[in-house]
Amino acid sequence: MSVANISGKQVLLQGNEAVVEGALAAGCTFFAGYPITPATEISEVMSVKLPAMGGTFIQMEDEIASMGAIIGASLAGAKSMTATSGPGFSLMQENLGFACVAEVPCVVVNVMRGGPSTGLPTNVAQGDVMQARWGTHGDHPIIVLAVSSTKDCFDITVKAFNLAEKYRTPVIILSDEVVAHTREKIRIPHPEEIEVVDRIRPNMPPEWYIPYEDNSRGVPPMGIFGDGYRYHVTGLIHDVRGFPTQRADEIVPFLTRIHRKISQNFFDILMVETELDEDAEILVIAYGSVARSARRAVREARKRGVRAGLVQLITLWPFPRQILEPYLKRVKAVLVPELNMGQVSREVKRINQGMTRVETLNRIDGNLITPEEILTRLLKI
Amino acid sequence: MNVRHSMAEVTKLIHKYLRHDKKFPHVWCPGCGNGILLGALIRAIDRTGYEKDDIVLVSGIGCAGRLPVYVDFNTLHTTHGRALTFATGVKLANPRLQVIVIMGDGDATAIGGNHFIHAARRNLNLTAIIVNNNIYGMTGGQYSPTTPYGALATTAVYRHIEQSFSIAELAVTAGASMVARGTVYHATMLDRLIEQAIRKRGFSVVEVISHCHTQYGRRNKLGGAVDMLRWQKENAVRVEKAAKMSEEELAGKFTIGVLVDRDLPIYTEEYRKIREAARSRMAAVK
Ligand code: SF4
């Protein structure tokens, strides 16, 4: 494994390696993880590269510990990340809730494999879309991004860190086994070409600092341990000073704010990629590795006179309702292919409200949906 | 050395370290040992001379876990059993910070047992203070890994049938650099043990024998807080003295003092060497 500086170069990388490059480009200096297929390469490459850049890699005793460690590191000022797959992701959920409530920026990569349980460890699936949204307890907003290619793995990982820092929230990247292990040639941009966002730090005198005070962005500046802004961090619902509260007039504004900081910035967070969508009659909505098959299928369908188009979802949560609704009003039918029993298609149906016909194409045998399968369906619709 | 504090000194420490606006009254039952521990901790930190900004106080969930809210450091109240994992991240991201972790016995050795033994083995320069009151107090008196065989708890109304952990000995075996046991009765000794643990370079553990008179004591007819403190006084044997006593003499007693103090490689220092190795490898590739 090379430790050479590859910025500005064309390199052949697998998705997992590109996630690491993206993280490092975004300023990640701390990684804690526990080995699990098919995410292990992220840990392995991090263990080689992070120390060379002055950062820290640690292999913890389990995924619960990994998630705790990245939260602690973030509170002490590091941009931090962990990576896992379904079963490990389940273990992280408790501390993920903590990161939401304490507003701790961090990035969690879930390279999805077949489940439930140990499931199909070396096979592709997209079964954790709802776990990413609702896996932890209580009401909380979350940002979840899906990657479909090696290039995505780089670009979207940078975006994930930026969104985490900007909104003081954990950001989940859903990758999958195919994306993780496919090798593709990409150009790693020079550092100057990459937009990197850092959390806003307090600049008032420490005694004036109110760590969870609302502002127009809904995101308070974040003091870090050791910088002179001492405050209390807790998983309990807290008042603006960070101390536990049971007062309704403090609980409601707090929970409303952490939802609002995401909802009022939907259009900054929502990302889709479209192809041949402008005059499309049949729209394919896909994400992750399946979006690659869908892209090919849509192009083929056009050649055969079917006006198909693609909306590839990058942001899965918050669900891009505002982007999809205009399409649903216009197209004759929508096809949602995915590697599960219908997790995103269910969401599409929820927002569709009878505007158009929503069809599903599901595969749960651990294999990728092929372009031909999607094409065959498109020709039938 | 026996350090006694005049009232003026106590007041000075209160003003210096306690968050008196809004944070009081505290959540603990009157007579609980947690207050004595809080006092010991503040005196110990004061004596080490660290600035408030250099201290990070991390806790888990439970009665003892509420301690950080009252003191003016960087404070972090984490999830149940996971305090050491958060502390690991804090310490690795900024090794300059002096990280002290407060946990209860159930917190540290049941749900957090795995994190505890691995933190001891890993040997970061952290201090773990584990308050052992033999019960889950905050959730209402269920048995914990340190509830004695035969005792009563809300989940052991027919008597407890499991053997209990010795927290300090577990820490010794798991590889901690320094392990001590104290009690809230021996309060001035507790000050010193905590101070020594904070000063220790490496992973240090202080098991603090405390009493939960409202949950454990009442249910097991051990009397009130004063009776339970007396029990600590009568059954604690200093390690130096215990070394000269027979097994029969030690039956039913427990040792207090420093159980182990050894120098082992410290994680952050070892990792610095890893960084150098990685850098020279990178330079070689260029
Ligand atoms: S329940 Fe027990 S341990 Fe908790 S505060 Fe009350 S006396 Fe102390």
Side-chain angles (χ1 to χ4, degrees):
Chain A
M1 202 174 299
S2 172
V3 286
N5 183 359
I6 54 175
S7 67
K9 290 190 185 134
Q10 293 271 3
V11 280
L12 185 67
L13 292 182
Q14 54 162 258
N16 277 346
E17 291 169 322
V19 165
V20 175
E21 296 303 331
L24 297 177
C28 173
T29 55
F30 184 85
F31 183 95
Y34 188 81
I36 184 168
T37 304
T40 13
E41 293 85 1
I42 300 178
S43 281
E44 287 170 355
V45 184
M46 278 291 187
S47 77
V48 176
K49 292 216 159 187
L50 263 180
M53 299 179 68
T56 308
F57 162 88
I58 186 168
Q59 185 169 305
M60 295 297 286
E61 55 274 18
D62 58 30
E63 289 87 349
I64 302 172
S66 305
M67 191 67 214
I70 70 163
I71 294 172
S74 182
L75 288 166
K79 287 191 185 179
S80 62
M81 180 166 112
T82 186
T84 187
S85 188
F89 191 50
S90 300
L91 292 180
M92 288 175 182
Q93 294 292 350
E94 179 199 30
N95 282 342
L96 199 56
F98 183 97
C100 290
V101 121
E103 298 181 79
V104 184
C106 54
V107 174
V108 177
V109 185
N110 174 2
V111 184
M112 291 183 286
R113 67 188 213 185
S117 190
T118 311
L120 297 161
T122 56
N123 294 63
V124 68
Q126 296 178 313
D128 300 342
V129 176
M130 286 295 168
Q131 191 193 181
R133 177 64 192 92
W134 298 112
T136 190
H137 43 288
D139 288 319
H140 63 89
I142 195 83
I143 299 175
V144 180
L145 311 175
V147 289
S148 71
S149 65
T150 304
K151 186 168 181 335
D152 265 7
C153 284
F154 184 91
D155 295 343
I156 302 305
T157 303
V158 174
K159 290 239 166 74
F161 272 95
N162 288 350
L163 291 172
E165 293 285 315
K166 204 165 171 185
Y167 298 112
R168 284 189 65 177
T169 182
V171 174
I172 296 160
I173 298 174
L174 287 183
S175 179
D176 61 55
E177 193 277 332
V178 166
V179 174
H181 291 151
T182 303
R183 286 187 182 277
E184 294 182 277
K185 196 158 89 174
I186 63 163
R187 180 183 166 273
I188 303 289
H190 283 293
E192 319 82 72
E193 300 167 56
I194 301 165
E195 196 212 345
V196 171
V197 179
D198 295 324
R199 64 191 71 169
I200 294 177
R201 304 270 294 272
N203 56 9
M204 63 289 280
E207 57 277 17
W208 293 3
Y209 179 50
I210 302 173
Y212 291 98
E213 192 179 32
D214 199 358
N215 56 27
S216 58
R217 295 175 58 241
V219 187
M222 184 176 174
I224 60 172
F225 291 161
D227 70 354
Y229 292 88
R230 293 186 303 278
Y231 68 108
H232 185 60
V233 181
T234 177
L236 287 161
I237 301 293
H238 41 271
D239 62 16
V240 291
R241 296 197 164 272
F243 296 111
T245 182
Q246 298 207 328
R247 279 172 46 179
D249 65 337
E250 292 177 332
I251 299 167
V252 177
F254 167 70
L255 285 172
T256 314
R257 177 176 62 73
I258 63 169
H259 278 89
R260 198 191 82 222
K261 72 179 179 182
I262 303 299
S263 63
Q264 78 178 16
N265 293 297
F266 272 151
F267 286 100
D268 184 43
I269 297 165
L270 299 187
M271 289 180 278
V272 296
E273 266 192 35
T274 55
E275 180 155 338
L276 303 166
D277 59 308
E278 269 148 37
D279 62 342
E281 286 181 336
I282 303 171
L283 187 74
V284 183
I285 298 175
Y287 57 97
S289 54
V290 175
R292 306 287 290 278
S293 299
R295 193 173 293 268
R296 171 82 179 276
V298 163
R299 287 177 193 164
E300 289 294 322
R302 285 273 172 170
K303 283 185 201 154
R304 299 181 197 201
V306 175
R307 276 207 277 158
L310 171 72
V311 173
Q312 176 192 338
L313 307 182
I314 292 168
T315 308
L316 293 183
W317 304 107
F319 195 71
R321 172 183 200 137
Q322 291 88 334
I323 292 177
L324 290 179
E325 265 174 354
Y327 289 103
L328 298 175
K329 285 194 185 121
R330 208 180 71 209
V331 297
K332 280 208 303 221
V334 163
L335 176 67
V336 188
E338 53 185 331
L339 299 171
N340 56 45
M341 297 287 276
Q343 298 192 10
V344 163
S345 63
R346 193 164 182 263
E347 206 59 21
V348 173
K349 285 174 188 161
R350 180 179 70 83
I351 66 166
N352 179 48
Q353 305 281 347
M355 288 186 277
T356 188
R357 200 167 93 224
V358 179
E359 297 215 355
T360 61
L361 172 54
N362 307 99
R363 189 156 189 173
I364 50 168
D365 63 357
N367 293 306
L368 187 60
I369 297 176
T370 62
E372 294 71 39
E373 280 174 275
I374 300 173
L375 178 64
T376 311
R377 281 293 292 275
L378 286 176
L379 298 178
K380 276 192 207 145
I381 291 173
Chain B
M1 181 186 60
N2 234 345
V3 184
R4 305 225 176 257
H5 288 266
S6 72
M7 215 44 223
E9 275 176 279
V10 171
T11 313
K12 201 186 90 201
L13 291 182
I14 286 174
H15 282 280
K16 184 168 176 194
Y17 293 107
L18 295 194
R19 288 167 166 156
H20 13 78
D21 48 335
K22 204 182 159 188
K23 265 39 76 188
F24 291 89
H26 58 65
V27 297
W28 299 317
C29 308
C32 176
N34 282 336
I36 303 173
L37 167 66
L38 174 57
L41 178 71
I42 287 171
R43 289 188 293 273
I45 290 174
D46 192 60
R47 277 192 244 148
T48 59
Y50 282 108
E51 294 291 321
K52 289 201 276 185
D53 283 328
D54 296 336
I55 301 276
V56 181
L57 207 56
V58 186
S59 71
I61 300 289
C63 297
R66 291 301 181 96
L67 189 147
V69 95
Y70 307 119
V71 265
D72 187 24
F73 301 114
N74 304 287
T75 52
L76 172 57
H77 178 226
T78 70
T79 44
H80 189 44
R82 320 296 177 206
L84 281 168
T85 73
F86 285 65
T88 298
V90 170
K91 186 74 186 177
L92 288 175
N94 187 353
R96 212 178 37 78
L97 294 168
Q98 194 62 40
V99 184
I100 303 166
V101 186
I102 315 274
M103 297 169 284
D105 50 280
D107 193 21
T109 64
I111 187 165
N114 199 33
H115 307 310
F116 179 52
I117 56 174
H118 288 283
R121 173 184 67 77
R122 197 170 281 136
N123 202 33
L124 273 144
N125 186 13
L126 296 173
T127 301
I129 298 172
I130 303 174
V131 186
N132 182 358
N133 59 12
N134 308 106
I135 202 86
Y136 288 95
M138 188 169 266
T139 36
Q142 300 79 20
Y143 63 79
S144 83
T146 55
T147 301
Y149 174 84
L152 298 170
T154 55
T155 46
V157 293
Y158 308 109
R159 297 199 176 277
H160 189 44
I161 55 168
E162 294 176 15
Q163 299 299 321
S164 63
F165 264 142
S166 161
I167 295 175
E169 266 120 38
L170 178 66
V172 171
T173 312
S177 283
M178 184 198 140
V179 180
R181 191 189 284 117
T183 81
V184 291
Y185 172 81
H186 302 84
T188 48
M189 179 187 189
L190 189 59
D191 290 11
R192 275 186 287 112
L193 292 176
I194 294 175
E195 182 189 351
Q196 192 180 335
I198 295 171
R199 287 189 195 276
K200 176 71 191 177
R201 293 171 38 71
F203 189 77
S204 55
V205 179
V206 182
E207 178 185 357
V208 182
I209 305 295
S210 185
H211 54 273
C212 175
H213 52 294
T214 56
Q215 295 296 355
Y216 181 66
R218 187 170 47 88
R219 199 157 281 113
N220 286 283
K221 304 208 169 28
L222 301 173
V226 174
D227 301 293
M228 293 184 79
L229 280 163
R230 189 175 300 123
W231 179 89
Q232 291 169 28
K233 178 190 176 195
E234 284 163 4
N235 290 282
V237 183
R238 293 187 184 247
V239 278
E240 299 80 15
K241 194 175 165 204
K244 294 180 206 125
M245 287 165 69
S246 68
E247 248 178 60
E248 296 82 73
E249 288 173 303
L250 280 171
K253 310 260 184 216
F254 62 92
T255 54
I256 54 170
V258 177
L259 273 60
V260 71
D261 185 355
R262 54 194 167 193
D263 289 319
L264 297 164
I266 294 168
Y267 191 96
T268 42
E269 281 164 20
E270 295 298 304
Y271 203 81
R272 205 174 303 148
K273 295 176 201 161
I274 296 290
R275 285 203 192 100
E276 280 157 27
R279 265 197 211 106
S280 51
R281 188 163 149 191
M282 183 137 107
V285 174
K286 273 179 189 163

